[in-house]
Amino acid sequence: MTDEQQGQAKKYILIAEDDSAYGNVYQSKLENEGYEVKVTNSGDAVLAEIHSRKPDLLILDLMMLDKDGFEVLEELQNQNLLNDIKVIVASNLSQDADRQKVKKFNILDYFVKSDISVTEMVEKIKTALK
Amino acid sequence: MNKVFADSQHALIMEALIENLPAGVALVDREKKIILANKAMMQLTRLPREGFYLTELTKLFNVDLGTELDKILSTSISPMVILSNVVLRDFFYFIYCFQICDDAKNVIGGAILLQDITKSKAIEREKSEFMSMASHQLRTPLGSMRWNLELLEEDIRSLPEISQKRFYEAYIGNRRAIWLVADLLNVSRIEQGKAEGEPQLTDLVSIIRNITEEMASEAESRKIALEFKLINEAIPKIVIDPAQFRDVIENLLSNALKYTKSGGRITIMLDHTNGYVEITVADTGIGIPAADQYKIFSKFFRSKNAVRIYTESSGLGLFIVRSYVEKWGGTIRFESTEGQGTTFYVTIPVTSNITV
């Protein structure tokens, strides 16, 4: 943990990702970087988590079982939470149509998981939480 | 014609064939007057026999048939003209216009053939959508594999060298698979006409400089001279999708790098003349064999001499490059001699006149 992190409470990152191969990487790598991490695997679960405890950052996959990422964004918007919560969309979808749909919402960043390295992913999160 | 039918029956046979062909057929004389229209033509156009004129066909298909017929009726211009992407109601067609000559090779008339390609277009679209869906699905395991391998890298360093080598081969294999998926997705997007991207005012010089710098260390380690020459200082920014422009430059430069041997040289030049930006990528590499040159922009095609040097490559790069360049209203051509090198010339029109 860095000196600055020791002085403040750990930042809490909530992740909505239904593929455990990714979930495990997020969990171990980000915990290693000094963050508190919780991984949920569905849209419904992540909304419940957000209501019980507001995260410092939400990393949202788009394709999930039951409610998908698009619906989660809609609900967060309807509940006026998007101005309050930092959101990064991390998906393997990259069609222009998908990007356009997501652009309507007030989110920080969008990346295609397969197209960036673990290191680059961590950089994006650090930048978001500055 | 063979001697199964009597000579006197030939005309009847031809008439029967033309009348029953599933493609629409119309014949015109040298004055472009319609002298025959078969059943399929009447059904496809839904025009009444009394109203079946060239002007009506032209209006219906929104194609200047008069001008196209002029080309084929005059012997010196063209024996056949093909019009693609002709649309009528919900159907797609190819229109073929070709000349009909007598024994003495004099043009006596022309034919208009209407071919319904709606079904094959639908199949093309389904194929593209399937490729797009499959590519997205492939990304998930490939992506999680990539991250897990990257996390593993640290632990691998304490293993014997042979294990480390195998690990890197696995990692490189994974990265190649990811690039291939990206290429496939680009191709399917292009084919579905969904490759508009996000055009914006783009600084071409900085993108080229950036990519050249990224490739500098590899070039240096392989003793290849890599140089970016700015021919004209005043290169205007143009309205183009920067990621797509980047793809084009990366493809051309990485090809040059792949196929040029140690001691060679690669030069990328950027110029601006007559309302066009010109990019030239010249290498002293293995060149493209003459027999393969006409296929070089085809999907998945790779020349044997290229495969020998670098077995793993999708063969999609130049297809994607040409698709983007032509979409921007530009041109791409090349000159190449096997064993000596290749030079690619790309021109892109500057549609907005904002200078740097």
Side-chain angles (χ1 to χ4, degrees):
Chain A
M1 232 199 292
T2 65
D3 284 343
E4 23 178 87
Q5 280 172 321
Q6 282 196 307
Q8 336 166 330
K10 279 193 210 178
K11 299 272 186 169
Y12 165 51
I13 303 175
L14 176 61
I15 304 179
E17 169 60 67
D18 68 346
D19 185 323
S20 61
Y22 280 113
N24 291 333
V25 170
Y26 281 128
Q27 188 91 49
S28 60
K29 184 68 178 175
L30 294 174
E31 271 176 3
N32 226 301
E33 294 287 330
Y35 300 108
E36 189 184 337
V37 180
K38 184 165 185 122
V39 178
T40 58
N41 64 9
S42 75
D44 281 328
V46 78
L47 284 169
E49 282 297 329
I50 289 172
H51 283 116
S52 88
R53 183 183 170 195
K54 197 180 93 168
D56 293 302
L57 176 64
L58 169 65
I59 300 180
L60 182 63
D61 186 14
L62 290 178
M63 300 303 294
M64 290 182 290
L65 317 160
D66 62 53
K67 277 209 179 74
D68 64 26
F70 297 108
E71 294 176 59
V72 169
L73 286 169
E74 285 275 6
E75 285 217 16
L76 289 178
Q77 173 128 304
N78 293 340
Q79 295 165 31
N80 256 318
L81 288 169
L82 276 183
N83 292 325
D84 226 9
I85 301 180
K86 293 184 177 175
V87 179
I88 294 181
V89 168
S91 179
N92 276 325
L93 293 178
S94 63
Q95 300 284 51
D96 292 337
D98 302 314
R99 281 184 187 269
Q100 294 305 332
K101 263 204 267 182
V102 165
K103 254 191 185 167
K104 296 185 317 175
F105 301 99
N106 181 15
I107 61 164
L108 273 182
D109 201 353
Y110 181 134
F111 64 81
V112 173
K113 290 180 283 194
S114 62
D115 290 351
I116 69 173
S117 69
V118 165
T119 311
E120 285 165 338
M121 179 269 286
V122 169
E123 278 312 301
K124 284 187 185 278
I125 285 164
K126 285 190 175 156
T127 306
L129 284 171
K130 252 196 262 227
Chain B
M1 226 198 296
N2 68 38
K3 292 300 180 182
V4 175
F5 303 106
D7 288 342
S8 58
Q9 293 174 311
H10 289 173
L12 289 172
I13 291 162
M14 287 298 130
E15 274 177 36
L17 282 174
I18 293 178
E19 180 61 11
N20 291 293
L21 268 179
V25 178
L27 297 180
V28 297
D29 61 19
R30 295 191 52 186
E31 279 77 55
K32 294 186 287 187
K33 182 158 151 280
I34 298 193
I35 54 179
L36 180 151
N38 75 346
K39 196 166 34 178
M41 181 63 94
M42 301 312 301
Q43 284 172 346
L44 289 170
T45 58
R46 299 190 204 162
L47 289 171
R49 281 215 179 264
E50 323 78 56
F52 200 88
Y53 300 116
L54 198 63
T55 44
E56 290 306 307
L57 279 182
T58 296
K59 253 196 282 175
L60 202 57
F61 292 110
N62 205 10
V63 169
D64 190 353
L65 282 173
T67 307
E68 303 301 337
L69 286 174
D70 283 336
K71 290 181 196 165
I72 55 118
L73 289 172
S74 129
T75 359
S76 50
I77 298 185
S78 180
M80 159 124 57
V81 160
I82 304 176
L83 305 167
S84 48
N85 289 323
V86 178
V87 184
L88 176 60
R89 299 176 213 113
D90 293 327
F91 299 93
F92 295 89
Y93 298 95
F94 268 17
I95 297 186
Y96 301 83
C97 301
F98 50 91
Q99 65 187 209
I100 299 175
C101 300
D102 62 15
D103 289 332
K105 305 270 172 85
N106 299 313
V107 180
I108 53 175
I112 301 171
L113 198 75
L114 189 64
Q115 183 190 21
D116 186 336
I117 55 164
T118 310
K119 202 193 296 189
S120 69
K121 266 221 174 228
I123 291 174
E124 276 301 317
R125 193 180 50 237
E126 273 172 33
K127 195 179 70 165
S128 237
E129 283 170 2
F130 171 76
M131 188 156 74
S132 177
M133 196 169 60
S135 302
H136 277 123
Q137 305 268 37
L138 280 169
R139 267 182 167 167
T140 301
L142 285 174
S144 63
M145 200 190 291
R146 175 182 178 174
W147 283 5
N148 279 289
L149 286 175
E150 285 170 352
L151 287 184
L152 211 44
E153 196 192 354
E154 230 171 285
D155 301 332
I156 297 292
R157 285 191 222 142
S158 56
L159 291 181
E161 216 177 293
I162 182 70
S163 305
Q164 291 188 41
K165 185 166 185 288
R166 289 182 182 136
F167 170 84
Y168 285 116
E169 296 288 356
Y171 182 65
I172 288 172
N174 167 267
R175 294 300 304 278
R176 280 202 188 119
I178 291 177
W179 283 320
L180 175 56
V181 165
D183 274 350
L184 287 172
L185 279 171
N186 277 332
V187 166
S188 81
R189 227 182 303 218
I190 288 166
E191 288 184 331
Q192 290 175 63
K194 290 184 187 162
E196 289 322 306
E198 287 166 36
Q200 54 199 262
L201 253 178
T202 300
D203 183 349
L204 308 182
V205 178
S206 69
I207 291 181
I208 296 180
R209 190 159 279 143
N210 217 278
I211 296 173
T212 317
E213 277 163 12
E214 279 168 18
M215 297 189 173
S217 58
E218 187 187 337
E220 215 183 291
S221 67
R222 292 176 48 205
K223 304 217 178 350
I224 296 172
L226 173 60
E227 192 193 351
F228 171 28
K229 274 197 192 144
L230 194 55
I231 309 283
N232 183 338
E233 288 295 325
I235 304 284
K237 291 190 183 164
I238 62 180
V239 178
I240 208 171
D241 179 309
Q244 289 177 355
F245 180 74
R246 191 162 237 282
D247 271 352
V248 166
I249 303 297
E250 259 172 6
N251 253 296
L252 293 174
L253 273 180
S254 78
N255 279 350
L257 206 50
K258 266 187 235 173
Y259 304 123
T260 300
K261 302 202 174 135
S262 184
R265 102 173 287 113
I266 299 168
T267 315
I268 175 165
M269 291 175 272
L270 181 60
D271 195 3
H272 170 225
T273 53
N274 296 331
Y276 282 86
V277 157
E278 288 172 7
I279 300 145
T280 308
V281 179
D283 68 51
T284 57
I286 62 178
I288 305 168
D292 291 345
Q293 291 188 8
Y294 76 98
K295 299 189 260 189
I296 211 70
F297 292 106
S298 323
K299 274 187 281 183
F300 300 112
F301 176 73
R302 300 192 62 221
S303 285
K304 286 211 175 67
N305 62 344
V307 175
R308 235 178 277 134
I309 289 209
Y310 195 82
T311 41
E312 310 291 331
S313 182
S314 65
L316 292 171
L318 286 177
F319 171 85
I320 293 172
V321 165
R322 186 178 63 172
S323 302
Y324 285 156
V325 170
E326 290 182 350
K327 184 174 67 97
W328 297 326
T331 61
I332 176 166
R333 65 178 185 89
F334 65 90
E335 283 160 6
S336 184
T337 308
E338 191 171 5
Q340 287 181 26
T342 305
T343 304
F344 273 90
Y345 304 91
V346 172
T347 69
I348 304 171
V350 179
T351 43
S352 65
N353 291 322
I354 303 175
T355 44
V356 168

XYZ file of all heavy atoms in Angstrom, chain A residues 17 19 21-22 24-26 28-29 90 92-96 98-100 103 111-121, chain B residues 132 135-136 139-148 150-151 154 171 175 178 182 185 188-189 192 194-198 244:
490
model
N -19.285 -8.371 -13.169
C -18.621 -9.198 -14.189
C -19.029 -10.646 -13.962
O -18.804 -11.187 -12.885
C -17.105 -9.031 -14.025
C -16.264 -10.003 -14.828
C -16.495 -9.919 -16.323
O -16.134 -8.885 -16.912
O -17.034 -10.890 -16.906
N -18.054 -13.359 -15.711
C -17.072 -14.385 -16.074
C -16.019 -14.446 -14.963
O -15.267 -13.488 -14.764
C -16.449 -14.008 -17.408
C -15.504 -15.077 -17.945
O -14.788 -15.707 -17.135
O -15.478 -15.274 -19.161
N -13.242 -15.924 -14.746
C -11.849 -15.806 -15.172
C -11.410 -14.338 -15.112
O -10.267 -14.034 -14.805
C -11.668 -16.374 -16.571
N -12.309 -13.423 -15.425
C -12.007 -11.997 -15.282
C -12.168 -11.569 -13.837
O -11.353 -10.822 -13.297
C -12.978 -11.151 -16.116
C -12.640 -11.076 -17.580
C -13.469 -11.653 -18.528
C -11.509 -10.399 -18.017
C -13.170 -11.569 -19.871
C -11.206 -10.307 -19.363
C -12.052 -10.897 -20.281
O -11.770 -10.809 -21.621
N -11.775 -13.057 -11.034
C -10.641 -13.402 -10.176
C -9.448 -12.488 -10.396
O -8.741 -12.128 -9.456
C -10.225 -14.857 -10.404
C -11.272 -15.829 -9.898
O -12.031 -15.505 -8.986
N -11.337 -16.997 -10.505
N -9.221 -12.096 -11.665
C -8.114 -11.186 -11.947
C -8.376 -9.830 -11.299
O -7.503 -9.266 -10.629
C -7.909 -11.014 -13.471
C -6.924 -9.884 -13.764
C -7.428 -12.311 -14.085
N -9.578 -9.315 -11.481
C -9.932 -8.028 -10.864
C -9.704 -8.095 -9.358
O -9.060 -7.245 -8.759
C -11.416 -7.699 -11.092
C -11.775 -7.147 -12.448
C -12.801 -7.717 -13.195
C -11.143 -6.010 -12.969
C -13.183 -7.187 -14.423
C -11.525 -5.477 -14.201
C -12.540 -6.078 -14.923
O -12.934 -5.556 -16.120
N -7.926 -10.203 -7.332
C -6.570 -10.326 -6.795
C -5.686 -9.137 -7.170
O -4.990 -8.584 -6.316
C -5.925 -11.640 -7.241
O -5.873 -11.678 -8.651
N -5.724 -8.709 -8.422
C -4.838 -7.630 -8.846
C -5.165 -6.320 -8.148
O -4.275 -5.615 -7.651
C -4.928 -7.454 -10.367
C -3.985 -6.415 -10.934
C -2.541 -6.840 -10.812
C -1.638 -5.787 -11.437
N -0.214 -6.108 -11.246
N -16.459 -1.864 -18.909
C -15.397 -2.760 -19.389
C -16.096 -3.906 -20.091
O -16.712 -4.738 -19.449
C -14.583 -3.284 -18.214
N -16.507 -6.627 -23.828
C -15.879 -7.128 -25.034
C -16.678 -6.776 -26.269
O -16.363 -7.210 -27.369
C -15.611 -8.634 -24.943
C -14.296 -8.903 -24.223
O -13.343 -8.142 -24.358
N -14.264 -9.978 -23.451
N -17.702 -5.989 -26.085
C -18.455 -5.491 -27.230
C -17.750 -4.246 -27.720
O -17.249 -3.461 -26.938
C -19.885 -5.121 -26.804
C -20.769 -6.267 -26.372
C -22.127 -5.724 -25.930
C -20.968 -7.236 -27.530
N -17.725 -4.072 -29.023
C -17.055 -2.875 -29.505
C -17.754 -2.272 -30.710
O -17.250 -1.379 -31.342
C -15.620 -3.207 -29.912
O -15.681 -4.113 -30.988
N -18.949 -2.776 -31.024
C -19.644 -2.223 -32.184
C -19.959 -0.761 -31.928
O -20.237 -0.362 -30.802
C -20.963 -2.969 -32.419
C -20.791 -4.448 -32.677
C -20.293 -4.755 -34.062
O -19.288 -4.191 -34.520
N -20.955 -5.643 -34.748
N -19.918 0.014 -32.992
C -20.244 1.434 -32.867
C -21.602 1.619 -32.200
O -21.779 2.504 -31.380
C -20.248 2.106 -34.238
C -18.846 2.165 -34.821
O -17.881 2.112 -34.048
O -18.721 2.252 -36.057
N -23.013 -0.196 -29.956
C -22.920 -0.364 -28.504
C -22.283 0.854 -27.855
O -22.740 1.336 -26.826
C -22.077 -1.607 -28.168
C -22.659 -2.861 -28.783
O -23.888 -3.044 -28.674
O -21.898 -3.638 -29.369
N -21.208 1.350 -28.470
C -20.546 2.527 -27.921
C -21.488 3.723 -27.886
O -21.524 4.477 -26.931
C -19.319 2.888 -28.751
C -18.120 2.034 -28.444
C -16.916 2.518 -29.240
N -15.802 1.610 -29.076
C -14.880 1.729 -28.128
N -14.941 2.721 -27.273
N -13.900 0.857 -28.030
N -22.248 3.887 -28.971
C -23.179 5.012 -29.033
C -24.202 4.898 -27.915
O -24.517 5.889 -27.260
C -23.911 5.036 -30.393
C -23.040 5.316 -31.604
C -22.242 6.604 -31.490
O -22.650 7.547 -30.810
N -21.104 6.642 -32.133
N -22.592 5.899 -24.712
C -22.187 7.309 -24.666
C -23.267 8.217 -24.099
O -22.980 9.259 -23.555
C -21.867 7.786 -26.086
C -20.423 7.940 -26.353
C -20.216 8.668 -27.682
C -18.738 8.699 -27.990
N -18.422 9.090 -29.308
N -13.662 0.607 -22.066
C -12.584 -0.115 -22.751
C -12.991 -1.529 -23.100
O -13.889 -2.104 -22.495
C -11.290 -0.092 -21.936
C -11.334 -0.801 -20.599
C -11.194 -2.180 -20.517
C -11.451 -0.080 -19.425
C -11.214 -2.832 -19.290
C -11.466 -0.715 -18.193
C -11.357 -2.103 -18.120
N -12.331 -2.064 -24.128
C -12.574 -3.437 -24.563
C -11.563 -4.300 -23.822
O -10.353 -4.133 -23.967
C -12.397 -3.579 -26.087
C -12.490 -5.037 -26.502
C -13.443 -2.747 -26.813
N -12.066 -5.238 -23.001
C -11.179 -5.993 -22.109
C -10.053 -6.709 -22.832
O -8.907 -6.699 -22.389
C -11.998 -7.005 -21.285
C -12.879 -6.330 -20.259
C -13.690 -7.339 -19.449
C -14.856 -7.864 -20.245
N -15.832 -8.582 -19.383
N -10.362 -7.338 -23.977
C -9.327 -8.125 -24.640
C -8.260 -7.241 -25.267
O -7.178 -7.705 -25.598
C -9.941 -9.029 -25.706
O -10.568 -8.244 -26.692
N -8.566 -5.958 -25.453
C -7.637 -5.086 -26.154
C -6.698 -4.285 -25.264
O -5.930 -3.471 -25.769
C -8.414 -4.118 -27.065
C -9.031 -4.846 -28.252
O -8.709 -6.028 -28.442
O -9.833 -4.234 -28.972
N -6.790 -4.476 -23.951
C -5.798 -3.789 -23.113
C -5.132 -4.796 -22.173
O -5.666 -5.865 -21.910
C -6.392 -2.629 -22.282
C -7.325 -3.135 -21.195
C -7.118 -1.633 -23.162
C -7.777 -2.001 -20.279
N -3.949 -4.436 -21.678
C -3.233 -5.324 -20.767
C -3.737 -5.082 -19.346
O -4.412 -4.080 -19.075
C -1.732 -5.037 -20.843
O -1.486 -3.751 -20.276
N -3.377 -5.983 -18.454
C -3.751 -5.841 -17.045
C -3.190 -4.529 -16.496
O -3.868 -3.792 -15.783
C -3.216 -7.031 -16.224
C -3.269 -6.724 -14.752
C -4.010 -8.275 -16.515
N -1.947 -4.242 -16.861
C -1.298 -3.006 -16.405
C -2.077 -1.782 -16.854
O -2.300 -0.855 -16.077
C 0.135 -2.929 -16.966
O 0.777 -4.164 -16.723
C 0.918 -1.800 -16.328
N -2.497 -1.779 -18.121
C -3.258 -0.639 -18.644
C -4.590 -0.512 -17.924
O -5.060 0.581 -17.645
C -3.491 -0.804 -20.160
C -2.235 -0.535 -20.980
C -2.340 -1.043 -22.423
O -3.165 -1.936 -22.701
O -1.565 -0.550 -23.255
N -5.189 -1.644 -17.587
C -6.469 -1.631 -16.872
C -6.287 -0.975 -15.506
O -7.067 -0.110 -15.111
C -6.988 -3.074 -16.730
C -8.296 -3.227 -15.978
S -8.137 -3.489 -14.197
C -7.573 -5.196 -14.115
N -19.490 -11.461 -36.867
C -19.408 -10.444 -35.832
C -19.736 -11.044 -34.468
O -19.020 -10.840 -33.485
C -20.396 -9.337 -36.181
O -20.404 -8.368 -35.196
N -16.977 -13.455 -33.336
C -15.775 -12.730 -32.926
C -15.938 -12.150 -31.538
O -15.017 -12.194 -30.729
C -15.467 -11.609 -33.913
O -15.303 -12.142 -35.197
N -17.104 -11.580 -31.259
C -17.320 -11.038 -29.916
C -17.266 -12.134 -28.869
O -16.705 -11.959 -27.799
C -18.663 -10.304 -29.840
C -18.576 -8.904 -30.353
N -19.348 -8.426 -31.373
C -17.774 -7.887 -29.984
C -19.028 -7.164 -31.610
N -18.078 -6.817 -30.788
N -13.752 -13.178 -27.993
C -12.974 -12.227 -27.216
C -12.962 -12.542 -25.732
O -11.991 -12.236 -25.048
C -13.583 -10.846 -27.361
C -12.963 -10.091 -28.460
C -13.582 -8.746 -28.494
N -12.808 -7.895 -29.344
C -13.215 -6.732 -29.779
N -14.403 -6.304 -29.442
N -12.435 -6.014 -30.543
N -14.057 -13.105 -25.230
C -14.144 -13.311 -23.776
C -13.080 -14.274 -23.280
O -12.265 -13.898 -22.431
C -15.574 -13.724 -23.386
O -16.465 -12.692 -23.800
C -15.678 -13.922 -21.891
N -13.012 -15.515 -23.775
C -11.958 -16.392 -23.272
C -10.562 -15.896 -23.646
O -9.619 -16.029 -22.872
C -12.254 -17.737 -23.924
C -13.116 -17.434 -25.088
C -13.893 -16.209 -24.745
N -10.424 -15.290 -24.833
C -9.104 -14.794 -25.230
C -8.651 -13.683 -24.299
O -7.481 -13.601 -23.913
C -9.144 -14.269 -26.673
C -9.199 -15.334 -27.763
C -9.384 -14.674 -29.129
C -7.938 -16.172 -27.759
N -9.575 -12.814 -23.926
C -9.244 -11.687 -23.059
C -8.885 -12.130 -21.656
O -7.904 -11.648 -21.077
N -9.651 -13.059 -21.106
C -9.339 -13.489 -19.739
C -8.037 -14.277 -19.742
O -7.256 -14.220 -18.792
C -10.490 -14.270 -19.106
O -10.723 -15.457 -19.819
N -7.783 -14.985 -20.837
C -6.520 -15.720 -20.976
C -5.368 -14.722 -20.958
O -4.359 -14.913 -20.281
C -6.537 -16.476 -22.306
C -5.559 -17.623 -22.390
S -5.442 -18.262 -24.094
C -7.036 -19.006 -24.322
N -5.532 -13.632 -21.711
C -4.476 -12.621 -21.779
C -4.145 -12.077 -20.404
O -2.963 -12.028 -20.007
C -4.908 -11.471 -22.696
C -3.902 -10.341 -22.715
C -4.352 -9.176 -23.586
N -3.353 -8.115 -23.510
C -3.391 -7.007 -24.247
N -4.362 -6.818 -25.121
N -2.451 -6.093 -24.101
N -5.146 -11.651 -19.646
C -4.891 -11.061 -18.336
C -4.257 -12.067 -17.397
O -3.317 -11.734 -16.663
C -6.194 -10.525 -17.725
C -6.639 -9.221 -18.304
C -6.074 -8.547 -19.357
C -7.735 -8.429 -17.874
N -6.758 -7.396 -19.607
C -7.781 -7.282 -18.720
C -8.694 -8.565 -16.858
C -8.746 -6.292 -18.566
C -9.648 -7.575 -16.709
C -9.677 -6.453 -17.551
N -4.765 -13.303 -17.424
C -4.190 -14.316 -16.535
C -2.736 -14.629 -16.900
O -1.891 -14.789 -16.015
C -5.057 -15.574 -16.508
C -6.247 -15.412 -15.582
O -6.105 -15.382 -14.366
N -7.432 -15.271 -16.150
N -0.700 -12.505 -18.268
C 0.085 -11.346 -17.859
C 0.371 -11.384 -16.360
O 1.459 -11.011 -15.914
C -0.629 -10.044 -18.263
C -0.515 -9.777 -19.763
C -1.393 -8.637 -20.272
O -2.213 -8.125 -19.493
O -1.250 -8.293 -21.464
N -0.595 -11.856 -15.578
C -0.361 -11.958 -14.132
C 0.660 -13.057 -13.840
O 1.452 -12.965 -12.913
C -1.669 -12.268 -13.396
C -2.678 -11.125 -13.297
C -3.874 -11.535 -12.455
C -2.025 -9.886 -12.703
N 5.159 -12.772 -13.920
C 6.086 -12.566 -12.818
C 6.602 -13.892 -12.267
O 7.787 -14.061 -11.999
C 5.360 -11.815 -11.706
C 6.116 -10.621 -11.192
C 5.235 -9.823 -10.252
O 4.336 -9.119 -10.759
O 5.447 -9.959 -9.039
N 1.835 -16.775 -24.829
C 1.333 -15.404 -24.728
C 1.218 -14.749 -26.101
O 0.238 -14.100 -26.431
C 2.240 -14.580 -23.810
C 1.747 -13.161 -23.615
C 0.547 -12.912 -22.964
C 2.472 -12.075 -24.112
C 0.078 -11.617 -22.792
C 2.007 -10.774 -23.939
C 0.810 -10.558 -23.283
O 0.344 -9.282 -23.117
N -2.041 -13.218 -28.063
C -2.131 -11.853 -28.614
C -2.467 -11.889 -30.098
O -3.271 -11.124 -30.592
C -0.816 -11.090 -28.408
C -0.467 -10.795 -26.962
C -1.516 -9.950 -26.268
N -1.759 -8.705 -26.963
C -1.020 -7.609 -26.855
N 0.035 -7.593 -26.081
N -1.351 -6.533 -27.525
N -6.074 -12.514 -30.569
C -6.852 -11.303 -30.283
C -6.809 -10.338 -31.461
O -7.830 -9.741 -31.830
C -6.350 -10.619 -28.983
C -6.696 -11.486 -27.767
C -6.952 -9.231 -28.819
C -6.201 -10.958 -26.444
N -9.898 -8.954 -33.866
C -10.114 -7.527 -34.153
C -10.211 -7.308 -35.658
O -11.073 -6.570 -36.138
C -8.987 -6.688 -33.557
N -13.532 -8.599 -36.945
C -14.609 -7.660 -36.609
C -14.572 -6.439 -37.523
O -15.617 -5.971 -37.968
C -14.508 -7.217 -35.144
C -15.081 -8.214 -34.158
C -14.750 -7.818 -32.737
C -16.598 -8.316 -34.320
N -16.008 -7.503 -40.855
C -17.466 -7.688 -40.901
C -18.174 -6.343 -40.776
O -19.212 -6.119 -41.395
C -17.950 -8.685 -39.848
O -18.075 -8.086 -38.594
N -17.565 -5.417 -40.037
C -18.143 -4.083 -39.937
C -18.115 -3.381 -41.291
O -19.068 -2.754 -41.715
C -17.331 -3.267 -38.937
C -18.151 -2.509 -37.924
C -17.227 -1.717 -37.058
N -16.237 -2.583 -36.420
C -15.790 -2.436 -35.192
N -16.247 -1.463 -34.465
N -14.900 -3.242 -34.699
N -20.689 -4.849 -43.610
C -22.070 -4.480 -43.276
C -22.295 -2.991 -43.456
O -23.358 -2.484 -43.112
C -22.394 -4.866 -41.836
C -22.485 -6.361 -41.610
C -22.698 -6.695 -40.146
O -23.730 -6.324 -39.581
N -21.761 -7.355 -39.518
N -20.984 -0.714 -41.731
C -21.104 -0.054 -40.423
C -19.766 0.500 -39.978
O -19.517 0.657 -38.787
C -21.585 -1.074 -39.385
C -23.007 -1.507 -39.570
C -23.434 -2.441 -38.452
C -24.803 -3.004 -38.723
N -25.054 -4.198 -37.903
N -18.883 0.789 -40.916
C -17.552 1.235 -40.507
C -17.400 2.736 -40.581
O -16.350 3.233 -40.940
C -16.505 0.542 -41.380
N -18.447 3.466 -40.249
C -18.351 4.923 -40.340
C -17.335 5.495 -39.365
O -16.677 6.464 -39.643
C -19.721 5.564 -40.083
C -20.714 5.358 -41.204
C -20.063 5.434 -42.566
O -19.389 6.454 -42.852
O -20.180 4.472 -43.348
N -17.233 4.857 -38.188
C -16.273 5.366 -37.214
C -16.722 6.707 -36.676
O -17.899 7.052 -36.738
N -15.788 7.469 -36.132
C -16.108 8.803 -35.598
C -15.214 9.825 -36.261
O -14.187 10.224 -35.712
C -15.888 8.821 -34.084
C -16.958 8.061 -33.324
C -16.565 7.799 -31.868
O -15.918 8.686 -31.272
O -16.867 6.706 -31.368
N -9.144 4.698 -37.467
C -9.075 4.038 -38.771
C -7.828 4.480 -39.533
O -7.155 3.674 -40.183
C -10.343 4.331 -39.585
C -11.553 3.607 -39.016
C -12.837 3.933 -39.754
O -12.865 4.785 -40.645
N -13.922 3.276 -39.390
